[in-house]
Amino acid sequence: MNVASVTATGSGTTATVTPKGLGKDDFLKLLAAQLRNQDPLNPMSNTEFIAQMAQFSALEQMYNLNESFNQARQELQESMMLQAVSLIGKEVAAVVDDQTLRGTVSKVSWTTEGVMLLIGGQQVPLQAVTEVALP
């Protein structure tokens, strides 16, 4: 959830949330502030507190899962790039638009579409390679 800017005042203090979005630390700060500032004559019920702690736990697990996915994605990109670099100077065959293209890989680049090989002046995705041979 992205928030442009949020400012909260109370008890003589002011807190501002930056526009980076709310994270697990922000959620925990909000929960602590809620507990500090609750009505002592009408406190939060145990079920509400447990529900909020469960939400915090779920948020933390989603954050950790997202970090794991990002790390796995980075490692996969690096692995694909290493595979592609090993093809430089080799003869390859690739199927592009139902056409088989044969040639020597002269360059490898990473684009938004993934790892691309330069074969005879044409950009070819690494996934399109069907054969590899020594020149």
Side-chain angles (χ1 to χ4, degrees):
M1 172 169 118
N2 287 330
V3 178
S5 180
V6 176
T7 302
T9 59
S11 306
T13 61
T14 302
T16 302
V17 177
T18 59
K20 67 175 182 158
L22 295 175
K24 65 181 183 177
D25 292 334
D26 299 318
F27 186 84
L28 189 57
K29 287 176 186 176
L30 286 171
L31 180 62
Q34 180 182 359
L35 289 172
R36 262 194 318 273
N37 297 314
Q38 69 180 332
D39 182 3
L41 299 176
N42 187 17
M44 182 188 314
S45 73
N46 288 341
T47 55
E48 284 181 73
F49 182 72
I50 290 171
Q52 287 187 351
M53 289 305 293
Q55 287 176 335
F56 175 72
S57 178
L59 174 67
E60 185 174 24
Q61 291 302 318
M62 284 190 288
Y63 177 80
N64 292 340
L65 189 59
N66 189 38
E67 288 296 313
S68 295
F69 282 145
N70 285 337
Q71 184 179 2
R73 181 181 50 83
Q74 179 70 27
E75 289 172 3
L76 179 63
Q77 288 174 345
E78 291 169 2
S79 174
M80 289 176 65
M81 195 64 164
L82 286 172
Q83 283 180 332
V85 167
S86 71
L87 295 176
I88 292 177
K90 296 202 172 122
E91 294 286 327
V92 297
V95 177
V96 180
D97 298 327
D98 295 329
Q99 299 285 331
T100 300
L101 174 69
R102 295 183 186 278
T104 303
V105 177
S106 59
K107 181 180 175 183
V108 174
S109 59
W110 180 264
T111 68
T112 56
E113 298 165 1
V115 177
M116 302 296 279
L117 309 175
L118 188 63
I119 303 170
Q122 186 173 349
Q123 292 268 338
V124 176
L126 177 62
Q127 297 90 329
V129 174
T130 57
E131 292 179 17
V132 179
L134 293 173

